[in-house]
Amino acid sequence: MGHKVVVFDISVVRALWETRVKKHKAWQKKETERIEQSALERIKEEWNFVAECRRKGIPQTLYCKNGFIDTSVRILEKIERNSLIRQSSPSKERDKPSSKFVFELSGEQWKELPDLLKKQTHLKEWHIRNTLIQSIPTYIELFQAMRILDVPKNQISHLPAEIGRLTNLKELNVSFNHLKSIPPELGDCENLEKLDCSGNLELTELPFELSNLKKVIFVDISANKFSSVPICVLRMSNLQWLDISNNNLNDLPQDIDRLEELQTFLLYKNKLTYLPYELLNLKKLTLLVVSGDHLVELPTALCDSSTPLKFVNLMDNPIDNTQCQDGEEMKESEQDRQHFDKEFMRAYIDDLKERESVPSYTTKVSFSLQL
């Protein structure tokens, strides 16, 4: 039996192909229009714009008016040009001398601090981030003029007891490292005003000795494994901002109203089923943010529009990540996700503070952006 030879009419094939091409182009056009009109695309555009402005140090008030973001490129160029003019003004000369007291270090090429640093005991500020440094040296006690110790996003696994000798320290930021504990000697830093231990993922408690920190006004211990509000935090009588979001809290202590100066309380992403009535005794509280997925009971007065309190009930929509990853990779990716989530919430909260009213609840949709 011979071979069968199929003969096509080329003109028919060409007409069929051109028809399909036209349909595909029409579909592409409709899809482009749909994406341009979608809310998610606008959110992505606004978020990229805000991220660009933050990278360039442009104040939020210049591009955000009454909660609306102007994504005009001309505005970005104008603001950037004005910012550059201000940076080149005489104020830059005034700031020059202060740099002699500031040490800055970044980059993954750094696995330990330079040897020359030990002799620079006159320094008042350390700003070290995005390095592979795993510890703070014990000779830090020599830096008696230290005011700010800013060491986020490194590989630090422990803090030396000698940190308690920094009696003039005002700000300590050890966020997004690998800390599993905080030295009790930190309680001797009697002038400390700001403490940020967020994003370490493994912290479960703070030492009772931190109760001595009576000047602290800001505490951030979010994205860890706290099962309750630390006792030492309840004794920080001047505390104004407390972020304990993204932990394992099941309830709040009945004496939470000891924090009489508290103004901002962030509790979202916990496992709270109820909010105690003692929250109503916090007369200076102006912003309370919780996750309402598990809440079954809360004081009705919290939702009263006549009060100055802005009560935000987030309905979280978490993404279940079941992919198998190496332990270290999983921890790093979790820290990156927590950091992005924190930046997102910070921008959201800044916007809330500028509003006269807030929505009864907010559905927070998680999505990934390539910044």
Side-chain angles (χ1 to χ4, degrees), residues 168-179:
N168 290 308
L169 190 65
K170 290 181 177 291
E171 297 183 16
L172 174 62
N173 181 1
V174 289
S175 62
F176 295 94
N177 281 285
H178 301 292
L179 295 174

Side-chain angles (χ1 to χ4, degrees), residues 10-200:
I10 300 299
S11 61
V12 175
V13 175
R14 179 179 178 182
L16 180 62
W17 180 254
E18 288 178 345
T19 302
R20 289 183 177 178
V21 169
K22 287 180 181 179
K23 288 183 178 179
H24 182 70
K25 287 184 176 179
W27 176 83
Q28 280 185 321
K29 184 178 180 181
K30 287 184 179 179
E31 186 67 11
T32 302
E33 291 175 352
R34 183 188 67 79
I35 292 175
E36 288 176 351
Q37 294 174 1
S38 70
L40 186 59
E41 188 67 19
R42 288 197 298 273
I43 292 174
K44 181 178 178 180
E45 181 186 356
E46 289 184 359
W47 184 254
N48 285 334
F49 181 81
V50 171
E52 182 67 19
C53 289
R54 286 188 173 182
R55 277 195 293 268
K56 295 182 177 180
I58 298 171
Q60 182 180 352
T61 53
L62 295 180
Y63 58 83
C64 182
K65 304 295 183 182
N66 298 322
F68 293 97
I69 297 174
D70 187 346
T71 57
S72 169
V73 178
R74 290 193 302 274
I75 292 222
L76 180 59
E77 292 175 350
K78 181 180 178 182
I79 293 173
E80 184 181 4
R81 187 166 59 251
N82 291 341
S83 297
L84 289 173
I85 292 173
R86 285 195 297 270
Q87 288 174 7
S88 60
S89 66
S91 62
K92 185 175 180 181
E93 296 299 319
R94 292 197 302 270
D95 292 340
K96 237 177 181 180
S98 64
S99 63
K100 297 178 181 179
F101 301 96
V102 177
F103 173 71
E104 296 181 342
L105 189 70
S106 65
E108 294 186 354
Q109 70 272 24
W110 294 100
K111 295 184 179 181
E112 56 184 32
L113 293 172
D115 294 335
L116 290 175
L117 181 61
K118 187 175 181 179
K119 300 178 181 180
Q120 310 296 319
T121 56
H122 63 282
L123 292 172
K124 295 182 179 180
E125 299 182 16
W126 281 15
H127 298 276
I128 305 169
R129 59 182 63 218
N130 296 312
T131 72
L132 298 180
I133 294 173
Q134 298 182 12
S135 63
I136 300 295
T138 56
Y139 64 70
I140 195 172
E141 64 179 328
L142 302 176
F143 292 76
Q144 289 299 303
M146 182 82 75
R147 300 289 189 275
I148 297 176
L149 182 55
D150 180 44
V151 290
K153 302 190 74 175
N154 296 291
Q155 303 293 319
I156 300 172
S157 57
H158 75 279
L159 297 176
E162 286 77 7
I163 198 171
R165 307 278 179 84
L166 304 179
T167 55
N168 290 308
L169 190 65
K170 290 181 177 291
E171 297 183 16
L172 174 62
N173 181 1
V174 289
S175 62
F176 295 94
N177 281 285
H178 301 292
L179 295 174
K180 294 185 178 180
S181 64
I182 300 296
E185 289 80 6
L186 183 62
D188 295 331
C189 298
E190 56 187 20
N191 288 302
L192 194 67
E193 297 177 358
K194 182 177 180 179
L195 175 62
D196 189 345
C197 303
S198 61
N200 282 281

Side-chain angles (χ1 to χ4, degrees), residues 194-332:
K194 182 177 180 179
L195 175 62
D196 189 345
C197 303
S198 61
N200 282 281
L201 305 182
E202 299 293 333
L203 279 177
T204 59
E205 61 181 0
L206 294 180
F208 180 79
E209 286 78 2
L210 269 59
S211 301
N212 299 327
L213 304 177
K214 302 302 181 182
K215 294 184 179 181
V216 170
I217 60 175
F218 178 102
V219 170
D220 189 344
I221 52 176
S222 61
N224 282 294
K225 292 185 178 178
F226 288 91
S227 58
S228 61
V229 179
I231 295 176
C232 62
V233 171
L234 295 173
R235 294 172 181 261
M236 296 176 181
S237 53
N238 285 305
L239 191 62
Q240 298 176 14
W241 176 295
L242 175 58
D243 187 349
I244 195 169
S245 58
N246 209 345
N247 277 281
N248 297 324
L249 269 65
N250 290 309
D251 54 29
L252 294 177
Q254 297 299 315
D255 57 344
I256 190 68
D257 53 359
R258 295 180 62 162
L259 301 175
E260 297 179 353
E261 301 297 320
L262 193 63
Q263 299 175 15
T264 301
F265 197 7
L266 309 183
L267 287 163
Y268 61 93
K269 285 194 175 180
N270 278 291
K271 300 176 182 178
L272 298 172
T273 55
Y274 74 97
L275 297 178
Y277 282 85
E278 284 75 13
L279 283 173
L280 299 175
N281 296 330
L282 299 175
K283 303 302 181 183
K284 295 187 178 181
L285 189 64
T286 56
L287 179 62
L288 174 64
V289 183
V290 301
S291 288
D293 293 319
H294 303 287
L295 280 178
V296 295
E297 180 182 350
L298 69 156
T300 54
L302 286 178
C303 306
D304 189 351
S305 59
S306 64
T307 66
L309 174 65
K310 292 180 180 178
F311 174 71
V312 181
N313 188 356
L314 290 179
M315 296 300 182
D316 291 321
N317 181 23
I319 296 178
D320 184 19
N321 184 9
T322 57
Q323 297 178 352
C324 295
Q325 293 177 306
D326 178 76
E328 283 301 315
E329 287 184 3
M330 183 179 294
K331 191 166 186 178
E332 291 298 326

